[in-house]
Amino acid sequence: MGISTAGKKCPICGQWISTDAPRFASRRGSSARDVLQKEFLIHLRTNHPDYLRWSRPYQVLGIGLIVLETVFVVVASSLSGPFLLIAILLPVVLGVPLVVVYRREFKAFKNQWNDEHPLSPTS
């Protein structure tokens, strides 16, 4: 087995996911980062499907905030300075509570997973 060139630790179970793919993109465009992301998603789908179902609304809201901010900035930049400031601050005001709730819920989710799997590496 070759030396692993890229790795990532699962935030839930603590298992180390690594790949032997070359660090730089090949002709097909698959670098170690791309291969690692695919292996990480396979690990999540296989071992933590409930996490994927739980995190989907947070991902959708995050993408929605990014799109909302982009639209607000484009529209407000054509109007005036105060509107631009409001357009920049509005997603931040909405996003910070979302991040706080997500982190709190993720910690509770991880604790529940560790209680159900007492021999996991993170316990």
Side-chain angles (χ1 to χ4, degrees):
M1 180 140 187
I3 297 173
S4 177
T5 58
K8 189 175 189 177
K9 190 174 185 180
C10 177
I12 301 165
C13 67
Q15 181 179 347
W16 191 254
I17 296 134
S18 61
T19 181
D20 292 333
R23 281 201 181 274
F24 300 105
S26 65
R27 286 183 179 173
R28 295 184 310 230
S30 60
S31 66
R33 183 175 149 192
D34 299 332
V35 173
L36 180 65
Q37 187 62 23
K38 287 177 187 174
E39 289 182 15
F40 183 67
L41 286 174
I42 289 169
H43 169 79
L44 286 177
R45 285 186 196 120
T46 305
N47 299 323
H48 313 294
D50 46 347
Y51 169 74
L52 289 176
R53 283 190 304 272
W54 170 81
S55 66
R56 184 69 59 201
Y58 291 101
Q59 292 171 354
V60 170
L61 285 172
I63 292 169
L65 282 175
I66 291 170
V67 170
L68 181 71
E69 180 170 3
T70 304
V71 169
F72 279 167
V73 168
V74 169
V75 170
S77 64
S78 65
L79 297 175
S80 68
F83 285 118
L84 182 60
L85 181 64
I86 291 171
I88 292 171
L89 292 178
L90 184 63
V92 172
V93 169
L94 296 174
V96 169
L98 180 66
V99 169
V100 170
V101 168
Y102 175 81
R103 289 182 61 123
R104 187 178 306 141
E105 293 292 323
F106 178 74
K107 186 175 181 180
F109 181 86
K110 187 175 177 180
N111 288 337
Q112 177 187 358
W113 192 89
N114 285 333
D115 290 343
E116 293 173 2
H117 302 86
L119 299 177
S120 67
T122 58
S123 296

